[in-house]
């Protein structure tokens, strides 16, 4: 559940929410997020799926950061029916990943050293360069919060602040990348084996989201069995499932008997099934490694569900 209420007669406003190291990082997040969003919306410009994703990521992170700072400053988080420590830790990790992705995508697709044609001109280039710089600073601000709030050895902490909890957010994020590649003409429906891989990705993603949701809602203590044991068992099963996908997917996509070992020369850039299959294969191994590391850490963590 949420944090305990402040004693009667105490200050209603918590100045440490903006003056502590974590509070300073959150204030910088608001400043950099607002600046980045404004620069792009005013003159920098954006378009297509890539630009929409960047603006959505910055807008989402800014809105939730405002909520976090407001609740911390007014102590209203103690009235919320959730585990505040788990919520802030999970959000900081998710925002770090989103802002890191946007900080790479926006300069890659929209920022150039040469001036674009009129009417945009050099002014638009300058705004895009500035937005790219502030996007990088925004990522660093969220990464700083993750570093400051991460559980240290021997420290009593909420689950999402542990290495295992933070890895759950990364695993779900990587799974979303896999899903994006799957729906982009990956031809996963050709074989039952590749459909099994999709089932593995979906099952592990849903279980990971369930673990995060239970932690954030503060319901890990009412499951009827120790939550840390459930996490270990689930992570072990996820390793086995991802190991099967890591073997099956490359065989049925890149073996000459079933697919193409190399990129077809007539495959158009941006609409090539082989590219999507390669992305799925790479991030399958990334998630497999993440689950293995998670399994190693989850066997020795100790956390307090209600923090």
């Amino acid at each position: 559940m949420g944090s305990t209420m402040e004693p009667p007669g105490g200050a209603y406003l918590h100045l440490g929410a903006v003056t502590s190291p974590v509070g300073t990082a959150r204030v910088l997040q608001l400043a950099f997020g607002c600046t980045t969003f404004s620069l792009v919306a005013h003159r920098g410009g954006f378009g297509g799926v890539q630009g929409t994703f960047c603006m959505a990521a910055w807008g989402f992170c800014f809105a939730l950061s405002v909520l976090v700072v407001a609740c911390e400053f007014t102590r209203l988080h103690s009235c919320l029916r959730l585990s505040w420590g788990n919520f802030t830790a999970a959000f900081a990790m998710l925002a770090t990943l989103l802002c890191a992705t946007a900080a790479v995508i926006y300069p890659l697709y929209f920022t150039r050293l040469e001036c674009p044609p009129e009417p945009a001109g050099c002014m638009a280039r300058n705004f895009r360069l500035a937005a790219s710089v502030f996007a990088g600073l925004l990522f660093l601000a969220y990464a700083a919060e993750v570093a400051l709030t991460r559980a240290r050895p021997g420290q009593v902490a909420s689950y999402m602040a542990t290495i295992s909890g933070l890895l759950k957010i990364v695993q779900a994020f990587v799974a979303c990348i896999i899903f994006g590649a799957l729906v982009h003409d990956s031809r996963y429906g050709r074989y039952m084996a590749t459909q099994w891989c999709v089932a593995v990705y979906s099952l592990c993603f849903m279980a990971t989201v369930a673990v995060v949701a239970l932690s954030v809602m503060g319901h890990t203590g009412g499951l009827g069995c120790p939550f840390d044991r459930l996490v270990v068992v689930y992570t072990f099963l996820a390793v086995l499932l991802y190991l099967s996908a890591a073997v099956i997917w490359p065989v049925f996509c890149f073996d000459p008997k079933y697919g193409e070992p190399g990129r077809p020369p007539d495959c158009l850039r941006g609409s090539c099934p082989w590219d999507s299959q390669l992305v799925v294969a790479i991030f399958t191994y990334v998630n497999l490694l993440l689950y293995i590391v998670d399994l190693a850490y989850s066997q020795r963590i100790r956390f307090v569900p209600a923090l």
Side-chain angles (χ1 to χ4, degrees):
M1 289 302 188
S3 303
T4 55
M5 293 290 289
E6 294 297 317
Y12 287 105
L13 299 181
H14 178 40
L15 294 179
V18 293
T19 59
S20 65
V22 175
T24 302
R26 288 171 177 166
V27 171
L28 291 176
Q29 292 163 11
L30 295 178
F32 295 151
C34 183
T35 303
T36 304
F37 195 91
S38 300
L39 287 171
V40 175
H42 181 55
R43 289 294 297 272
F46 67 97
V49 176
Q50 297 83 4
T52 302
F53 168 81
C54 293
M55 291 294 282
W58 293 326
F60 169 78
C61 294
F62 179 77
L64 278 191
S65 290
V66 170
L67 175 65
V68 169
V69 172
C71 288
E72 287 274 1
F73 188 65
T74 60
R75 302 181 189 271
L76 287 177
H77 62 83
S78 57
C79 303
L80 301 178
R81 302 181 64 86
L82 51 78
S83 173
W84 186 250
N86 280 315
F87 172 76
T88 54
F91 166 64
M93 188 70 245
L94 177 60
T96 300
L97 295 172
L98 288 173
C99 291
T101 306
V104 172
I105 290 178
Y106 189 79
L108 188 63
Y109 282 90
F110 300 99
T111 304
R112 297 290 184 272
L113 293 179
E114 62 273 7
C115 297
E118 295 295 340
C122 291
M123 185 64 72
R125 180 205 60 181
N126 296 339
F127 270 75
R128 291 172 183 175
L129 288 172
S132 300
V133 172
F134 277 99
L137 294 174
L138 179 60
F139 155 69
L140 292 177
Y142 280 111
E145 181 181 348
V146 172
L148 289 170
T149 58
R150 181 178 64 84
R152 303 299 191 273
Q155 177 185 2
V156 178
S158 56
Y159 173 69
M160 294 308 303
T162 65
I163 293 295
S164 180
L166 295 174
L167 284 174
K168 291 292 187 294
I169 303 296
V170 183
Q171 291 159 7
F173 189 81
V174 171
C176 290
I177 297 176
I178 292 176
F179 292 141
L182 284 172
V183 300
H184 191 63
D185 195 23
S186 64
R187 299 179 181 175
Y188 64 85
R190 291 187 300 169
Y191 304 106
M192 287 295 297
T194 51
Q195 293 178 37
W196 160 258
C197 295
V198 176
V200 167
Y201 304 142
S202 303
L203 179 63
C204 293
F205 173 76
M206 289 187 292
T208 298
V209 171
V211 169
V212 174
L214 286 172
S215 300
V216 170
M217 297 303 295
H219 295 329
T220 56
L223 297 177
C225 57
F227 179 70
D228 52 350
R229 293 187 183 180
L230 281 178
V231 170
V232 172
V233 172
Y234 150 65
T235 308
F236 176 69
L237 292 176
V239 169
L240 296 181
L241 290 172
Y242 258 90
L243 187 60
S244 68
V247 173
I248 292 173
W249 183 268
V251 169
F252 281 84
C253 290
F254 306 120
D255 188 278
K257 183 178 179 181
Y258 304 103
E260 296 285 345
R263 192 177 191 276
D266 57 345
C267 220
L268 298 177
R269 183 180 179 183
S271 59
C272 182
W274 193 90
D275 293 342
S276 298
Q277 294 167 1
L278 180 62
V279 170
V280 172
I282 291 173
F283 282 98
T284 296
Y285 285 102
V286 170
N287 240 3
L288 173 61
L289 179 61
L290 291 173
Y291 277 109
I292 292 174
V293 175
D294 188 2
L295 181 62
Y297 273 98
S298 61
Q299 294 185 77
R300 50 181 181 165
I301 62 171
R302 296 295 181 269
F303 62 94
V304 178
L307 285 181

